[in-house]
Amino acid sequence: MSYWAWKAPLYSCVRTLPPFKNFLEAESTNLSRLFASTATAPVRHLDIGSGTGDSLALFRASAQLICSDASAAMLRRLSIPNPKLLAHAEALPFAEATFDFVSAIGVLEYVRAATRFFNEAHRVLQPQGYFLFTSAPRVPANYLRTLWGERLYLRDEEEVRDALSATQWRVVAHERTFLQEQWLVQKC
Ligand SMILES: C[S@@+](CC[C@H](N)C(=O)[O-])C[C@H]1O[C@@H](n2cnc3c(N)ncnc32)[C@H](O)[C@@H]1O
């Protein structure tokens, strides 16, 4: 059984318990502000690594939201009317310039090939499109997450900036919360 298959039934439940709930609420508030900071609400929006949908409330303003995830077990627990797609962030099944907004909340730390992750988001975005994503820095709280058996690829700000530099992005905002770094970048 894959890691996400056993974690899926517990995932949303654990996130409602303190102290996780408190960290997540602070992170969501900040992400919500970043999402609202773009000039117009997204029309064609792809969410990568949607999981069981815990972050999707952030994106209510998007006209057409497509959800994707690499785990069938997580997607099965995602009950929303939007289109859902089994797909890896590193190989998205969409043509170039399909979306004006892409998001990936809590996903990059599970991806080994950060450059491919950014290449794919860049490819499917229209010019000037936005990518809202989070990364997990090398802080003690993130090392503690590995005690669950999680295989995490922790990255500090400079490592993320390095991976981003392989494609053309403008960093619009970069902020830190307890567990995350939150990034809003724009395709140049
Ligand atoms: C921590 S959960 C975050 C879920 C959701 N975005 C949220 O904020 O609640 C990470 C999700 O990323 C998915 N994931 C992990 N590696 C992935 C990859 N390479 N491509 C796409 N999704 C991936 C996992 O299956 C899981 O559902």
Side-chain angles (χ1 to χ4, degrees):
M1 187 190 257
S2 84
Y3 169 71
W4 287 104
W6 72 257
K7 190 172 174 183
L10 304 172
Y11 182 78
S12 293
C13 175
V14 167
R15 289 162 67 98
T16 61
L17 306 173
F20 308 108
K21 180 175 181 283
N22 311 73
F23 300 146
L24 293 165
E25 275 171 6
E27 283 166 356
S28 289
T29 304
N30 217 50
L31 284 169
S32 175
R33 197 175 43 71
L34 289 178
F35 179 66
S37 71
T38 60
T40 51
V43 178
R44 295 268 300 159
H45 177 167
L46 173 67
D47 186 59
I48 298 172
S50 304
T52 52
D54 291 7
S55 297
L56 296 179
L58 293 171
F59 305 133
R60 280 199 199 99
S62 298
Q64 298 167 37
L65 175 67
I66 297 182
C67 299
S68 66
D69 201 284
S71 160
M74 291 296 269
L75 276 185
R76 265 197 300 276
R77 287 174 169 77
L78 175 57
S79 57
I80 48 160
N82 304 56
K84 297 187 272 181
L85 188 83
L86 190 62
H88 280 85
E90 305 90 321
L92 296 171
F94 296 102
E96 284 177 24
T98 303
F99 300 97
D100 56 314
F101 201 97
V102 174
S103 51
I105 310 304
V107 184
L108 179 57
E109 62 262 43
Y110 298 99
V111 176
R112 190 163 61 88
T115 308
R116 281 177 61 196
F117 173 87
F118 291 125
N119 280 351
E120 278 299 87
H122 194 273
R123 186 182 65 75
V124 301
L125 269 173
Q126 295 165 4
Q128 314 304 318
Y130 289 98
F131 184 26
L132 178 65
F133 69 93
T134 64
S135 54
R138 298 171 193 275
V139 294
N142 276 328
Y143 284 112
L144 281 179
R145 289 167 67 190
T146 60
L147 298 179
W148 281 74
E150 290 196 308
R151 174 67 181 98
L152 293 181
Y153 299 95
L154 303 182
R155 296 177 175 98
D156 283 330
E157 176 183 347
E158 280 318 307
E159 297 171 271
V160 176
R161 286 189 187 270
D162 245 25
L164 275 170
S165 69
T167 31
Q168 300 276 299
W169 299 99
R170 178 174 79 88
V171 177
V172 179
H174 165 243
E175 303 194 358
R176 291 192 182 85
T177 60
F178 183 60
L179 288 170
Q180 291 181 335
E181 297 201 1
Q182 302 181 334
W183 303 76
L184 179 66
V185 298
Q186 187 174 28
K187 176 173 176 170
C188 297

